[in-house]
Each structure stands twice: as structure tokens, then as C-alpha cells.
């Protein structure tokens, strides 16, 4: 019989704040997943987040997933997916997906965004398997379906296979639409190819690679990345999303260390130079791996304003070469790189923060994706904390090697102290809210052998399992909304601006929304409730889509838009939206007229939905005389 766990409602398990100890609530071996991927996401719009999770199940526990191939033969797969859903008093897990296309593998990434503007949060899934990659649309009731329109085109307009290992979502060309940045490689059809690029959203369910070949590479070859992770963020607060990534290079020794050694690993941070005349995007490499960082692959990154100065910083850990200080052979070397913006051009530089308490400590998470480390305000003091788990040769407190977990509380000085917590390697780190929106109860899955917390034959056995813990601190308060939201239109460009709330710390981010008045659909990706009783409640645990900017300039098609902006604090809770009112681009109409064989009778989207008028993307126009034509609006 399958073992289910029950989590007590948060109101019944509050610990004294003075205790400040993260303690274990329960352990479940049937839910074990090494190399976990997943996301906390409100799929069914009830105001509470579910957990979508996959990974490699415990080989000692029965119940691996059985699939059926094209010939009707059953076979077992080494990955499994779960959906954890709040039933009113506890989280109940159920197996997610019954076919290969619904299983999202090990070392995967599951990134939330509203790709079709219906107000429901969808996901893009990628990872170390090829049969599930793509945009999965959410119907608002928690049902995910692969978007049949999803295709990727190269710069010349040719359709290409695209199966990356790691992805993130951001607006890279400042048109408001959610784009995708990816790294990895695939061997679909027996042909190896790098799948590194910036996929620009075309507004019709398709994407076009807008990145010049060689940008993610050494100038001679595109890197084929494995054991890798990527994170998008606007590092220099100029309104254009940048990205940082690290991983192993599977097509040769192509990257260089600080002392010039040629190694098959890399860490790169790419700064966006903005949209180009041909519609592509351009970036330049800050070359952190040859200046201030020792990170070269098989590691992890997290981006947040750790020292609360208004500029994002980078936590990075990975296999470091022998030229790292105090290191011999290949070992792990965690760092905090603090950002500083200067000049009218908003140049960004990073410095190795020597006061970081875990700097240079050999702690190995061994799960290279976006849930391998987590940066979030867990103790509700307004500063960003860090969860950093893994195997280590020597603990931060000087004791011997073990599987371990560390909670590093944030402060104005950064991460200068630590607390020992239950931990593991090959893990994924998640937060369940136990029925109270905004609560953060640390949960992880992976292999753990830390004798301080886990002993065979006890209630909390070691090995591969999922571990649920209790947060001893209070729930973080909702932040206050920004003020003075304003929009200034200049042709097809609009500049949105706002003033931070007086109570906001400098580390907050912002989420903005644009709604097309004519269609009633959201033009951009917004991952919070807009309006109503749940206004501003976040549907995901993620920074705001405007990052730390307090103004953005976007290039939009003709139309009339409503907009608003909210504060997202370090606990990733959202304020109510400050309404910015309406503004009009052009004459307010997406298209002046449509010429066809007959008078226009009705307009439909490519997937058959009737529209109120022709809009950006692909439109199917039916005339009164029965004519049908496809109109593409750029």
C-alpha cells in the first residue's frame, strides 16, 4: 500500500520564535527523488501553491513508473513525477502523468510563465530527456497540456529541433512577451547539436532563436552543455534581461581559468546590449570566470540582492580548478559575487566577497538545476537567506565529512553566519506553505546520510527519501505597494515608472502586468492574481518580472492597455497592485484593416478561439462569403 504523508496545518505546529531551529516533521521514502526537478506553483488558482516534482525514485522502494512503447511492450523508467496538492488540511501527493510526455525527468528545469495571456501560469519543461520538452499550457484547473503550436526557428526561419538541458524565462528584447534562454545539447535523430540560445517569443506559440552563434561558446564552437544550470536576471537594472550559467562542456576543452588553463567546464555571465535592428538580441561576456570567479561547471547559481544595496549579486558554486586559492585538485568552491552598477551606461562589475561565511568550503550539492540551491527570505526579517545542501569533506563547523545542510541567514552585511539543518546531496529544495499563503516550510528530496538528523531504524531514516520540516519563524508580512505608477508613450514605445513604497528594502523586485483592453487578455507574462479578493497574491515563488527596476521602456504593438505594478519582497510575497491606468499605442487598434476575398465576418486564433479583432500573431480570418485566410500580424 502506498504510503502517504500528512502535514499538520501551520497554525497547529507553530514553534516559538526564540527556538529558531528547523526541525523535521516527517520523512517519506516512497516519495524519494534524486536529481529532483520541480516548481511551487498555483495551478488551480485557489491561492495556494501546489508542488510539481520529478526525479529519480528510490530503487529500494517499489512503484517505479511503467510505460508502454509503440509496440505495446511495457518498460520501466528511472524517473517519476508527483503533484502535491492541498486538500484543505494536508498536502496529498499523487503520481503526475501516465505517459513519457508528461514525465519531466532528472536534472530538469520547470519554469513558470503565462505564455498565452489567459491569466493561468503555464510551464516550460526541459531536462535530460527529450520527450517532454516544450511549453505546457495550464487550463486553470491544474491540467497541463503540451502546446501543439510550440516550435523553434533559427534566424533564417528554418524549423529546428530544440531540446535543452536547462532553461529560464525572461523578456530579452523588451517587447513584453516572455522569452526563453536555454543551454544544453541534444542527440535527437542521431545528430548532436548545441541547444544554447535566446528563443524570442513570436506571439503565436512559436519562438525564434535570436542569438548569434558563438555567443555561448569560445568564438569557434558553440558549447554543448551538460550538468548545467542557467538563471535570467537584469543585473545592471537597464530593463533588458541578462543571464548567467555554468556547466560542463561536452564538445572539448574550450573554457579558460584565471591562470589560462584550458578546461572542459565554464561559468559565464552575459549582459544584454538590447534588441538589434534585425530583431535579434546581442550580449557580451563579463568574463567572470577569468577574473573574480573560480567556478567551472557541475555546480549551481542563485541570483539575489544578498547585501540589500539595490544591486543583484550572484551565489555560485561548482567544480573549481587547481588554481583556486587553498584548493588542490578539483573541488567545490562557493562564492558570493557582489554587483555594483556605475555610469550612465549602467556598467556592472562583480567582486569576490571574502566575508561570505561559506567561501571556499567544499560543499557539493550535486544537482545542477534551478532547485539545487535556493535564495529566499525564510526567517521573515526582510533579507535574502540561502539554503545550501550537499556532501562535504569537512563541515562548516569543522566536523568530518557527511551529507549536510546549511541555512545561511541574510543581513545587511550579507551571508556571514550559518545554522546546521537537515540536508542531502543530489537534492531538490522546495517550500510548501501548509495551507497558509506565504508560509515557507523547507522540504527537500535526495540522498541524505547525516547522522545528526537521520538514523536507520528510527522515525527519520537515512538514505533516499523526501524530508519535510517546520519553519520556526513567523510568516513574512505582505509588502506595501509602490506608488506614483505612470506611463509615458512615445510612438510604439511606452515607459512605465513607479516609486518604491517607503517601507520597502532595497532588495525588493517588481512584477508588472499589461492587459489588452480590446481582448481582455494579458499581453505579458504575469504570475500573480490581478484584481479581486486575491489581488497581488503570487502564484509562484519567484522574483518579479521587472526585477529591481523602477522603470521599464517597452516596444508594443498598437492597442489600448491597462497596467499595474506590485512589490515582491525577499520572501517572494507580493503586494496589491498599484494601478497605472490606461494608455494607448497608435490609434488603439492592433490592425487598421484586413483585406480579403469578402467582408470580415469573424477572427480566430490559430487554436480555434474566436477573437474580438485581429491581434498580434497568427489570425484566421473568415469572410461573409465563406473565404478563409491566414493573417500574420507582427
Amino acid at each position: 500500500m502506498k504510503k502517504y504523508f500528512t502535514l499538520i496545518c501551520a497554525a497547529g505546529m507553530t514553534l516559538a520564535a526564540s527556538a529558531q531551529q528547523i526541525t523535521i516533521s516527517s520523512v517519506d521514502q516512497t516519495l524519494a527523488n534524486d536529481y529532483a526537478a520541480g516548481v511551487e506553483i498555483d495551478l488551480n488558482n485557489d491561492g495556494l501553491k501546489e508542488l510539481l516534482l520529478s526525479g529519480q525514485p528510490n530503487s529500494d522502494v517499489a512503484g517505479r513508473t511503467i510505460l508502454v512503447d509503440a509496440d505495446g511492450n511495457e518498460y520501466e523508467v528511472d524517473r517519476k513525477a508527483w503533484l502535491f496538492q492541498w486538500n484543505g488540511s494536508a498536502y496529498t501527493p499523487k503520481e503526475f502523468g501516465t505517459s513519457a510526455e508528461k514525465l519531466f525527468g532528472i536534472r530538469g528545469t520547470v519554469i513558470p510563465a503565462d505564455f498565452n495571456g489567459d491569466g493561468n501560469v503555464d510551464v516550460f519543461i526541459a531536462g535530460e530527456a527529450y520527450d517532454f520538452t516544450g511549453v505546457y499550457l495550464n487550463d486553470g484547473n491544474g491540467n497541463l497540456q503540451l502546446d501543439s503550436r510550440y516550435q523553434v526557428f533559427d534566424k533564417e526561419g528554418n524549423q529546428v529541433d530544440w531540446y535543452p538541458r536547462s532553461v529560464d524565462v525572461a523578456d530579452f528584447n523588451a517587447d513584453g512577451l516572455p522569452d526563453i534562454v536555454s543551454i544544453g545539447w541534444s542527440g535527437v535523430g542521431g545528430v548532436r547539436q548545441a541547444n544554447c540560445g535566446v528563443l524570442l517569443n513570436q506571439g503565436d506559440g512559436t519562438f525564434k532563436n535570436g542569438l548569434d552563434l558563438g555567443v555561448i561558446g569560445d568564438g569557434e564552437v558553440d558549447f554543448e552543455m551538460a550538468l548545467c544550470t542557467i538563471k535570467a536576471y537584469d543585473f545592471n537594472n537597464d530593463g533588458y534581461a541578462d543571464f548567467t550559467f555554468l556547466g560542463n562542456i561536452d564538445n572539448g576543452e574550450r573554457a579558460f581559468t584565471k591562470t589560462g588553463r584550458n578546461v572542459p567546464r565554464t561559468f559565464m555571465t552575459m549582459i544584454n546590449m538590447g534588441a538589434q535592428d534585425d530583431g535579434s538580441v546581442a550580449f557580451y561576456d563579463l568574463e567572470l570566470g577569468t577574473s573574480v570567479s573560480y567556478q567551472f561547471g557541475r555546480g549551481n547559481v542563485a541570483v539575489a540582492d544578498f547585501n540589500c544595496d539595490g544591486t543583484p549579486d550572484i551565489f555560485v558554486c561548482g567544480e573549481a580548478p587547481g588554481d583556486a586559492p587553498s584548493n588542490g585538485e578539483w573541488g567545490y568552491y562557493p562564492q558570493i559575487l557582489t554587483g555594483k552598477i556605475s555610469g550612465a551606461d549602467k556598467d556592472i562589475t562583480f567582486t569576490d566577497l571574502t566575508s561570505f561565511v561559506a567561501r571556499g568550503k567544499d560543499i557539493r550539492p550535486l544537482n545542477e538545476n534551478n532547485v539545487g540551491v535556493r535564495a529566499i527570505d525564510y526567517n521573515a526579517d526582510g533579507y535574502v537567506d540561502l539554503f545550501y545542501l550537499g556532501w562535504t569533506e569537512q563541515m562548516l563547523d569543522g566536523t568530518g565529512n557527511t551529507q549536510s545542510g546549511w541555512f545561511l541567514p541574510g543581513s545587511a552585511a550579507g551571508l556571514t553566519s550559518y545554522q546546521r539543518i537537515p540536508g542531502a546531496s543530489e537534492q531538490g529544495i522546495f517550500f510548501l506553505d501548509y495551507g497558509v499563503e506565504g508560509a515557507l516550510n523547507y522540504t527537500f528530496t535526495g540522498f541524505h546520510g547525516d547522522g545528526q538528523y537521520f538514523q536507520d531504524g528510527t522515525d527519520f531514516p537515512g538514505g533516499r527519501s523526501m524530508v519535510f520540516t517546520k519553519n520556526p519563524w513567523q510568516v513574512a508580512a505582505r509588502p506595501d505597494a509602490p506608488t506614483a505608477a505612470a506611463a509615458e508613450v512615445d510612438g510604439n514605445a511606452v515607459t512605465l515608472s513607479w516609486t518604491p513604497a517607503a517601507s520597502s528594502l532595497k532588495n525588493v523586485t517588481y512584477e508588472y502586468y499589461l492587459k489588452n483592453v480590446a481582448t481582455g487578455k494579458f499581453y505579458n507574462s504575469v504570475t500573480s492574481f490581478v484584481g479581486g479578493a486575491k489581488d497581488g497574491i503570487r502564484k509562484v515563488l519567484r522574483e518579479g518580472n521587472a526585477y529591481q527596476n523602477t522603470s521599464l521602456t517597452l516596444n508594443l504593438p498598437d492597442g489600448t492597455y491597462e497596467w499595474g505594478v506590485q512589490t515582491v519582497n525577499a520572501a517572494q510575497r507580493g503586494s496589491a497592485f498599484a494601478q497605472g491606468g490606461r494608455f494607448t499605442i497608435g490609434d488603439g487598434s492592433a490592425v487598421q484593416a484586413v483585406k480579403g476575398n469578402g467582408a470580415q465576418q469573424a477572427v480566430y486564433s490559430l487554436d480555434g478561439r474566436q477573437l474580438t479583432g485581429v491581434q498580434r500573431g497568427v489570425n484566421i480570418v473568415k469572410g461573409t462569403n465563406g473565404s478563409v485566410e491566414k493573417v500574420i500580424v507582427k
Side-chain angles (χ1 to χ4, degrees):
M1 181 176 178
K2 203 168 289 183
K3 179 182 175 185
Y4 285 100
F5 68 91
T6 300
L7 298 176
I8 303 171
C9 181
M13 61 179 219
T14 303
L15 298 180
S18 59
Q20 296 185 341
Q21 292 296 316
I22 299 173
T23 58
I24 299 172
S25 172
S26 62
V27 172
D28 196 313
Q29 292 177 294
T30 66
L31 301 171
N33 288 283
D34 279 354
Y35 306 111
V39 65
E40 306 93 340
I41 181 173
D42 184 359
L43 288 172
N44 59 2
N45 295 313
D46 64 354
L48 300 173
K49 299 173 189 68
E50 290 78 53
L51 172 61
L52 194 58
L53 169 72
S54 82
Q56 188 174 55
N58 192 336
S59 59
D60 297 328
V61 176
R64 286 197 173 198
T65 301
I66 304 297
L67 301 178
V68 179
D69 64 21
D71 298 323
N73 301 312
E74 292 186 346
Y75 64 101
E76 186 179 70
V77 295
D78 66 347
R79 60 190 192 274
K80 198 162 188 170
W82 301 91
L83 177 64
F84 296 79
Q85 200 161 21
W86 184 253
N87 65 13
S89 59
Y91 275 94
T92 301
K94 64 179 181 180
E95 290 187 37
F96 178 78
T98 56
S99 63
E101 69 177 13
K102 292 185 178 179
L103 296 172
F104 43 100
I106 63 174
R107 295 191 181 95
T109 49
V110 188
I111 303 298
D114 181 3
F115 285 102
N116 60 357
D118 63 359
N120 302 317
V121 183
D122 314 308
V123 294
F124 189 93
I125 296 175
E128 292 189 7
Y130 302 136
D131 47 14
F132 53 81
T133 298
V135 172
Y136 285 75
L137 298 177
N138 176 16
D139 67 358
N141 296 311
N143 301 308
L144 297 173
Q145 182 69 42
L146 180 65
D147 188 350
S148 60
R149 304 172 302 166
Y150 170 73
Q151 298 177 72
V152 176
F153 298 91
D154 63 20
K155 294 183 72 172
E156 286 70 43
N158 304 305
Q159 185 180 346
V160 291
D161 291 326
W162 206 263
Y163 300 94
R165 305 298 180 94
S166 187
V167 299
D168 204 1
V169 172
D171 179 8
F172 290 99
N173 58 352
D175 67 352
L177 298 176
D179 308 312
I180 298 165
V181 60
S182 74
I183 53 175
W185 66 268
S186 73
V188 174
V191 178
R192 280 182 69 119
Q193 63 177 17
N195 282 166
C196 304
V198 174
L199 308 182
L200 299 177
N201 193 331
Q202 301 300 291
D204 59 0
T206 67
F207 295 81
K208 186 174 183 180
N209 186 7
L211 195 64
D212 284 328
L213 296 177
V215 172
I216 301 179
D218 63 357
E220 297 180 2
V221 63
D222 295 320
F223 288 163
E224 294 177 359
M225 304 292 298
L227 300 176
C228 52
T229 189
I230 191 165
K231 177 61 183 173
Y233 209 100
D234 184 358
F235 288 110
N236 57 350
N237 294 341
D238 66 351
Y240 285 97
D242 314 303
F243 62 91
T244 186
F245 69 93
L246 78 168
N248 288 6
I249 306 169
D250 275 11
N251 56 338
E253 294 187 350
R254 300 289 183 177
F256 290 89
T257 70
K258 288 178 67 173
T259 57
R261 289 181 55 192
N262 200 231
V263 296
R265 294 160 170 82
T266 195
F267 166 58
M268 301 174 72
T269 299
M270 311 298 295
I271 301 301
N272 193 339
M273 294 188 289
Q276 306 299 293
D277 291 339
D278 63 357
S280 65
V281 285
F283 295 81
Y284 65 92
D285 183 6
L286 283 182
E287 299 184 349
L288 300 184
T290 57
S291 57
V292 298
S293 176
Y294 301 100
Q295 316 313 318
F296 288 88
R298 191 88 207 261
N300 223 301
V301 294
V303 179
D305 185 359
F306 290 106
N307 59 358
C308 202
D309 66 352
T311 305
D313 311 307
I314 302 174
F315 165 80
V316 58
C317 66
E319 290 182 333
D323 60 355
S326 306
N327 268 28
E329 299 300 320
W330 293 93
Y332 269 65
Y333 197 90
Q335 290 177 277
I336 293 286
L337 307 179
T338 57
K340 182 178 180 181
I341 300 172
S342 61
D345 293 333
K346 295 194 172 183
D347 294 325
I348 180 76
T349 56
F350 286 93
T351 303
D352 179 13
L353 185 64
T354 58
S355 61
F356 173 44
V357 69
R359 181 180 182 272
K361 303 297 183 182
D362 193 3
I363 302 169
R364 310 181 180 199
L366 299 181
N367 186 25
E368 306 82 14
N369 66 18
N370 63 314
V371 293
V373 297
R374 298 295 294 271
I376 196 167
D377 177 17
Y378 182 76
N379 60 7
D381 66 355
Y383 296 99
V384 180
D385 311 314
L386 183 70
F387 284 79
Y388 183 26
L389 319 183
W391 177 84
T392 181
E393 291 185 349
Q394 186 180 61
M395 308 288 279
L396 287 177
D397 58 11
T399 56
N401 62 339
T402 186
Q403 306 290 331
S404 62
W406 303 102
F407 170 68
L408 284 64
S411 68
L415 305 176
T416 59
S417 63
Y418 62 86
Q419 180 184 123
R420 180 88 172 269
I421 59 174
S425 64
E426 299 100 34
Q427 88 296 325
I429 303 170
F430 304 97
F431 301 97
L432 297 177
D433 61 21
Y434 295 177
V436 180
E437 196 281 327
L440 296 171
N441 291 289
Y442 153 60
T443 298
F444 69 91
T445 176
F447 179 83
H448 49 277
D450 184 351
Q452 178 168 322
Y453 294 98
F454 306 102
Q455 296 288 340
D456 291 339
T458 69
D459 289 339
F460 303 138
R464 288 176 172 84
S465 59
M466 196 164 183
V467 178
F468 305 89
T469 73
K470 301 175 182 180
N471 188 335
W473 290 278
Q474 63 185 356
V475 175
R478 290 189 72 182
D480 294 323
T483 61
E488 183 177 342
V489 176
D490 181 11
N492 279 89
V494 59
T495 298
L496 308 177
S497 62
W498 53 91
T499 300
S503 59
S504 291
L505 295 177
K506 292 183 178 180
N507 60 11
V508 301
T509 61
Y510 298 95
E511 179 97 350
Y512 78 98
Y513 78 87
L514 294 170
K515 180 180 281 190
N516 186 303
V517 173
T519 64
K521 295 178 69 68
F522 291 102
Y523 178 77
N524 69 319
S525 171
V526 58
T527 51
S528 297
F529 288 96
V530 177
K534 300 187 184 79
D535 182 50
I537 291 178
R538 299 285 286 157
K539 299 182 182 182
V540 299
L541 286 178
R542 186 175 172 89
E543 69 279 340
N545 58 13
Y547 303 102
Q548 293 182 269
N549 290 290
T550 56
S551 69
L552 288 173
T553 298
L554 305 170
N555 288 286
L556 304 177
D558 288 2
T560 298
Y561 300 87
E562 294 178 356
W563 82 284
V565 61
Q566 70 173 159
T567 307
V568 180
N569 65 14
Q572 294 173 2
R573 296 199 71 186
S575 71
F577 276 95
Q579 298 301 318
R582 294 187 177 188
F583 63 88
T584 298
I585 300 289
D587 68 351
S589 173
V591 173
Q592 302 297 324
V594 177
K595 296 180 180 180
N597 296 324
Q600 178 180 321
Q601 181 185 45
V603 182
Y604 297 85
S605 65
L606 194 61
D607 59 1
R609 293 177 294 107
Q610 187 166 359
L611 307 174
T612 57
V614 178
Q615 63 182 29
R616 190 174 188 273
V618 179
N619 301 263
I620 306 300
V621 180
K622 296 185 179 182
T624 54
N625 63 355
S627 66
V628 177
E629 63 177 313
K630 182 168 70 172
V631 176
I632 301 176
V633 180
K634 297 296 186 181

